[in-house]
């Protein structure tokens, strides 16, 4: 689904976002470049998937957007305003009510000593979304019904341990919705759930985007669910966004050699596992000693001299997609 | 695909396991029967709580109270594993059977090098000198795709994928006939997962052991297994050659399960999913345990009579009244 957002102002935008972490002691310490120069736009009612392996930096981007980490460099724009320049608790609170988060593990993201109602009531109170106890109760029931936890009157009284993983994740989504957000950052929201439950959560989020126009940044390691749920996919490798395209384009016609490897690694039951396949090789690099070149170069079949020199800039391709790879620079040999 | 012409290595007959709780007995595994042949990869699929890990733990005799095996036999060739003495069991484990768990990479001893952990396993079960064992350990590491130099590395010096490979090397140390792999790649990234699965499959071709492979990831299971069994709420609902089940699922649960996960292969398709949630096994639904979630359920039949697992031609077994009536071999 491409909704023709050209020209419209994005609701959330990352510009050249970077994050470095320092590790170890004062003398032995190293620097982990977790995210480097990440830029992308998220529009209302649009779903952008951020796909990559563990350690690729996708969760770090989400945490910067959630204002849990302070970026080392770059800007975050909300409706065109630079949120990193706004100071003070009020501004942060406003931003956080508009940009909510759903975490991966619904078993640890809910407080076990409180009933389900507690988790959802807190944002209603903190962001002052209701007036009086009756209004609070009405809103609470509404939210539980919205995420299909019915009968809501029963579910609000339950403790997390009485609920299944899928039900807990629905509560986490209700909690995010309570703040009346424009954007939900969903960090691997279905990866801990059973197959038959996953689809229900993905469909619930699809419905929220459809009916309420919420924009989703969907973080996942699973290309298949990204294809199912998102309009656009960003592929991350070792801190860089290496490719951006609409979901169908990316899946049917991957350009970056890493995207091609990632797709080749997804189990294909119709084909069966071939031990002689050699399209999946190597390991992700150590982020503490990345050189200046493309981090994928040591594993890449098409590696050239330039790849070891510097990370290529994004090369625009047809249909507004782009890729960071020398193979697609102007004048590069056609592959 | 291995034709089941030879004698089975493992034969599970009418296995029943229950967990006794204050609320009553949880019937986690009920009347499960299947066979595993030499050199075969048999996949067990199903959602959390369907009993697949309980079956594995029954085979390895790792079930501890409150779990009780209340019936059935598990034959390893001509010996009933459930009747083995502690001494027989000790010899049986490792010598003939080893296990790779999901988080096995975290089960490595952090203060021993991976080489010494492989050597330990060998010296505990065989009379073999340290030098011989070390040579063998190096071979094993090479076989699972780890650089031989890593024999003196500690677990923390290896990546998650490398640690999982090391665990597989330990599992292979005594050349077992059966390896049980319970979600061996679930904690890993897809790229690493594919590398390890390829490794597992080529090791199987090389050493000729059998694998009982357990995972909730159906596409992965179909990919790696020769035959699969689909479990739902403690029972087998369908079993047969994996490609046949994938292309033509017979049981409504299998059909819906195949329709629950998106794929990157082929055109984008609409997914149906499965309504509802798996049942409480303290009071499982009468009749077919899937009937409350099944759109095709026949009133008066599926909610009353337990469908038996019936051979429906070829090597396929299905437990469903609808299929049984239409396709039972008479």
């Amino acid at each position: 689904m491409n909704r023709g957002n050209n020209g419209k102002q994005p609701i959330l935008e990352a510009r050249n976002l970077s994050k470095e972490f320092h590790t170890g002691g004062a003398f032995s310490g190293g620097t982990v470049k977790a995210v480097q120069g990440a830029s992308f736009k998220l529009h209302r009612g649009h779903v952008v998937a951020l796909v990559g392996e563990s350690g690729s930096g996708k969760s770090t981007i989400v945490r910067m957007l959630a204002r849990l980490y302070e970026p080392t460099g770059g800007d975050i724009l909300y409706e065109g305003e630079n949120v990193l320049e706004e100071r003070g608790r009020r501004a942060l609170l406003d931003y956080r009510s508009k940009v909510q988060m759903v975490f991966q593990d619904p078993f640890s993201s809910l407080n076990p000593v409180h009933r389900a109602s507690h988790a959802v009531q807190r944002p209603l109170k903190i962001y002052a979304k209701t007036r009086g106890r009756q209004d609070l109760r009405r809103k609470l029931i509404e939210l539980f019904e919205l995420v299909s936890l019915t009968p809501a009157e029963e579910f609000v009284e339950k403790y997390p341990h009485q609920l299944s993983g899928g039900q807990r994740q629905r509560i986490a989504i209700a909690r995010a919705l309570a703040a009346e957000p424009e954007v939900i950052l969903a960090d691997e929201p279905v990866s801990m759930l059973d197959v038959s439950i996953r689809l229900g959560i993905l469909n619930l989020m699809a419905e929220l985007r459809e009916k309420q126009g919420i924009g989703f940044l969907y973080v996942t390691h699973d290309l298949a669910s990204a294809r199912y749920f998102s309009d656009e996919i960003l592929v991350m490798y070792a801190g860089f966004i290496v490719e951006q395209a609409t979901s169908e384009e990316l899946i049917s016609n991957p350009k970056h050699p890493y995207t091609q490897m990632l797709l080749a690694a997804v189990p294909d039951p119709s084909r069966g596992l071939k031990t002689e396949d050699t399209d999946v090789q190597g390991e992700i690099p150590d982020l503490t000693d990345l050189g200046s070149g493309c981090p994928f170069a040591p594993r890449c079949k098409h590696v050239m001299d330039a790849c070891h020199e510097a990370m290529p800039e994004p090369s625009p391709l047809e249909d507004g997609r782009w890729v960071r790879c020398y193979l697609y620079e102007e004048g590069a040999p056609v592959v | 695909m291995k034709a089941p012409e030879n004698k089975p290595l493992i034969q599970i007959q009418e296995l029943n396991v229950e967990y006794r709780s204050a609320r009553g007995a949880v019937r986690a595994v009920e009347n499960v029967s299947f066979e595993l042949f030499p050199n075969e990869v048999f996949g067990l699929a199903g959602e959390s709580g369907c009993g697949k890990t309980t079956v594995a733990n029954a085979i390895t005799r790792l079930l501890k109270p409150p779990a009780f095996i209340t019936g059935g036999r598990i034959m390893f060739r001509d010996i009933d594993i459930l009747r083995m003495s502690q001494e027989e069991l000790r010899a049986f484990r490792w010598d003939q059977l080893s296990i790779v768990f999901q988080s096995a990479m975290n089960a490595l001893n952090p203060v021993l090098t991976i080489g010494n952990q492989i050597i330990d396993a060998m010296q505990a079960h065989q009379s073999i000198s340290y030098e011989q064992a070390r040579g063998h350990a190096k071979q094993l590491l090479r076989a699972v795709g780890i650089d031989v130099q890593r024999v003196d590395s500690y677990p923390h010096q290896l990546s998650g994928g490398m640690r999982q490979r090391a665990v597989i090397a330990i599992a292979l140390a005594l050349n077992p006939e059966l390896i049980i792999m319970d979600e061996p790649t679930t904690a890993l990234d897809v790229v690493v997962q594919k590398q390890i699965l390829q490794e597992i499959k080529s090791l199987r071709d090389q050493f000729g052991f059998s694998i009982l492979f357990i995972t909730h990831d159906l596409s992965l299971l179909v990919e790696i297994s020769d035959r699969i069994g689909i479990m739902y709420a403690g029972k087998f609902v369908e079993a047969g050659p994996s490609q046949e089940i994938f292309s033509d699922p017979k049981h409504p649960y299998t059909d819906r399960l195949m329709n629950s996960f998106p794929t990157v292969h082929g055109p984008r398709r609409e997914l149906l999913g499965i309504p509802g949630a798996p049942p409480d096994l303290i009071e499982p639904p009468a009749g077919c345990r899937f009937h409350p979630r099944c759109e095709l359920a026949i009133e008066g039949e599926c909610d009353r009579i337990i469908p038996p697992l019936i051979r429906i031609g070829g090597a396929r077994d299905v437990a469903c009244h609808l299929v049984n009536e239409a396709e039972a071999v008479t």
Side-chain angles (χ1 to χ4, degrees), chain A residues 110-153:
Chain A
L110 294 173
N111 190 329
V113 302
H114 287 295
R115 294 178 199 274
S117 56
H118 176 85
V120 183
Q121 268 171 4
R122 276 180 60 85
L124 287 173
K125 288 177 183 164
I126 290 169
Y127 302 117
K129 297 296 180 191
T130 56
R131 289 160 209 276
R133 284 184 59 175
Q134 275 185 344
D135 194 30
L136 182 71
R137 180 78 187 176
R138 185 187 54 75
K139 193 84 197 85
L140 189 67
I141 298 295
E142 238 178 66
L143 283 164
F144 272 69
E145 283 170 353
L146 193 61
V147 296
S148 304
L149 286 174
T150 49
E153 280 80 3

Side-chain angles (χ1 to χ4, degrees), chain A residues 242-253:
Chain A
V242 295
E243 182 165 8
Q244 183 272 123
T246 62
S247 305
E248 276 313 302
E249 274 295 309
L250 190 109
I251 300 293
S252 58
N253 189 11

Side-chain angles (χ1 to χ4, degrees), chain B residues 14-28:
Chain B
E14 300 286 309
L15 181 69
N16 283 276
V17 182
E18 56 182 51
Y19 291 87
R20 293 182 187 151
S21 76
R23 283 177 56 219
V26 179
R27 289 143 76 189

Side-chain angles (χ1 to χ4, degrees), chain B residues 63-85:
Chain B
L63 286 175
K64 295 232 163 63
F68 295 91
I69 296 172
T70 52
R73 296 201 297 175
I74 300 176
M75 303 302 292
F76 182 83
R77 296 224 170 80
D78 301 320
I79 317 152
D80 188 348
I81 296 173
L82 301 182
R83 288 167 184 277
M84 281 182 185
S85 67

Side-chain angles (χ1 to χ4, degrees), chain B residues 7-13 58-59 61 72-85 87-89 91-93 95-96 177:
Chain B
K7 275 185 77 184
L9 181 70
I10 288 268
Q11 217 175 348
I12 293 172
Q13 300 167 338
I59 296 172
R61 289 263 310 262
R73 296 201 297 175
I74 300 176
M75 303 302 292
F76 182 83
R77 296 224 170 80
D78 301 320
I79 317 152
D80 188 348
I81 296 173
L82 301 182
R83 288 167 184 277
M84 281 182 185
S85 67
E87 204 40 52
E88 287 169 320
L89 198 59
F92 169 68
R93 291 176 181 162
D95 264 359
Q96 274 130 10
E177 292 181 79

Side-chain angles (χ1 to χ4, degrees), chain A residues 63-76:
Chain A
R63 286 179 189 160
M64 285 193 280
L65 293 175
R67 304 287 281 113
L68 296 170
Y69 289 162
E70 198 62 28
T72 312
D75 295 313
I76 298 170

